[in-house]
Amino acid sequence: MSFASRAQADVTGLNIDSILNVLDYEMSQCDAYTQKKEEKLVSLKSLLHQSADDQHTFALCNELFEEYKHYQYDSAYVYAVRSLWMAEKLQQPESIALAKSSLMFCYTAVGFYKEADEMNRSFSVEGLSPQMLEHYYAQCLYLYQNMRDFSVDNDSLWQHYESLREQARDQVLASAAMNADVYRRTYTKDMLSVEFLPPASIIERRKQLLGKYSLSLHDQAVQCFMIGEMCDKLGRRAEATYYMALSAINDIRSNTRETSAGKTLASYMYEAGDIDRATRYVHRAQSDANFYNTRIRKMEINSILPLIESRRYEQMSRQRNFLFAFGAFVLLTLLLLAVLYVILKKKNRSLCEARNEVERKACERDAVNRQLSVINMQLQEANEIKDSYIVQSLYGDSSFVNDVEEKCKQLKRKLKAKQYDDLLSIINGINIRQERERMSSSFDAAFLKLFPTFLEEYNKLFPEEYQACLTDSGMLPTEVRIFALMRLGIADTALVAKYLNISQNTIYVYKAKVKAKSLVSKDEFDNHILRICKPRES
């Protein structure tokens, strides 16, 4: 089954976009089809140059005409004239009739109706076979049909050429009836009898003919074009578009350049608002018309080309204006974004500076807090030390005062009794050394209660053989007590000497000896002592 037959199998489910996509694809393949056509023409021309027999030369000229008749007018005309020259040389009526029919076709195809009619008047039908008569009258039918269509604005001329066309059709049918080829006879009858049916029936009948006969691509294109025209007259534009596209596809595949399907389809696309396709199709039709060199097709195309180009220009103008407006909008947007970017960048810089300032202030605050925390701890520690030593001082002072008070009372009694010898014993009974030891013991007890790990941390600064320990009575060694007082914040050597009842030089000697035995440097020793912490209460 042919492509056209398959395509029209389901009329109710026509897919216009699909067939137009196929046409667009086929248009992109035109060069490949043309190349095959040119290769065949080159081959035939090579055979013609090599031919030495007049009969064979005539046959090749006629074959080249058939290849060119729908492809390129100038070459078709050249080979038609050459065929007539060879036929007259051969003096064969059938060959002369065939050559004249070819020339009639050439004149008719490009609108030289006067020359075609003159050729027709010089035509002699005597002695021609039914097949040749059918071929000749078919050319007459083609001529009168074109003359009728050309005179569409003149009713009298239109009627005249319509009458001649009907006569030619009847002569074709009469000649076909004498044809011995049953298939050809039936085909001609079916093709020409279609026009007697109602319009809707004509469409369906032509669709049936597409499936019934194995038509050439060119004949399929002709039938699809006729179906499309008839559908358009009945207002069935979608179906008309489908079959016009089908006709254009077959024209491309058969390398037919003398065609109206492309121009008609372009007008459909124009009316449908598809200007892109309308432009492509009309320019393709114009290219075919220029290639074939037919004035009629050029005139037909020029009647619609300005409309399509004008609409295309309007569309391009709208698109250009839209693109200009869109570009202006994008430009303004970009400018606005740039301004916003600059503003935001400045704001961001300000925020960064503010954040850095806040972070700097926060760091300073944290440093101050840490300092305050250390100071607070030191104050808390000092308060604890103060409280502890106030209690110890009150207790020690109270005991000492009570003891002194008791001794004073004894002295008063002795003085009143004039027992002067006992005064010395009472005075000697005041044991200053014992009081000092009691005071030192009280200090050590209070200090070790505040810094229970002091001696352990102190010993970490010395080798094992020089580490200190408590005395048998649980008191700190004097050199350790010196640094204990330092840890409490009493750094004045004079105060330390007065409190311990020793000289300042002795203090210096103790410190020098201790530092000489230490594992750390002399300069760092005091700092290590001051860093010994009071354990935190859990």
Side-chain angles (χ1 to χ4, degrees), residues 41 86 128 142 147 209 270 273 289 354 366 371 375 382 388 480 519:
L41 291 171
M86 291 302 302
L128 297 181
Y142 177 58
M147 294 178 74
L209 294 177
Y270 169 77
D366 292 341
Q371 291 176 357
I375 293 172
S388 177
V480 176
L519 295 173

Side-chain angles (χ1 to χ4, degrees), residues 202-260:
I202 292 176
I203 295 173
E204 297 305 318
R205 184 65 180 276
R206 286 196 183 279
K207 291 178 182 178
Q208 293 173 9
L209 294 177
L210 283 172
K212 181 178 180 180
Y213 295 101
S214 299
L215 303 180
S216 66
L217 289 173
H218 174 69
D219 289 337
Q220 290 182 47
V222 172
Q223 292 302 317
C224 288
F225 179 81
M226 292 180 177
I227 293 173
E229 274 196 324
M230 190 62 66
C231 288
D232 188 50
K233 290 178 181 178
L234 294 178
R236 293 152 59 174
R237 176 54 64 86
E239 195 172 349
T241 301
Y242 184 87
Y243 280 96
M244 280 298 172
L246 202 57
S247 175
I249 290 170
N250 285 312
D251 282 334
I252 293 173
R253 292 178 175 178
S254 62
N255 279 293
T256 299
R257 299 299 180 94
E258 200 286 310
T259 174
S260 296

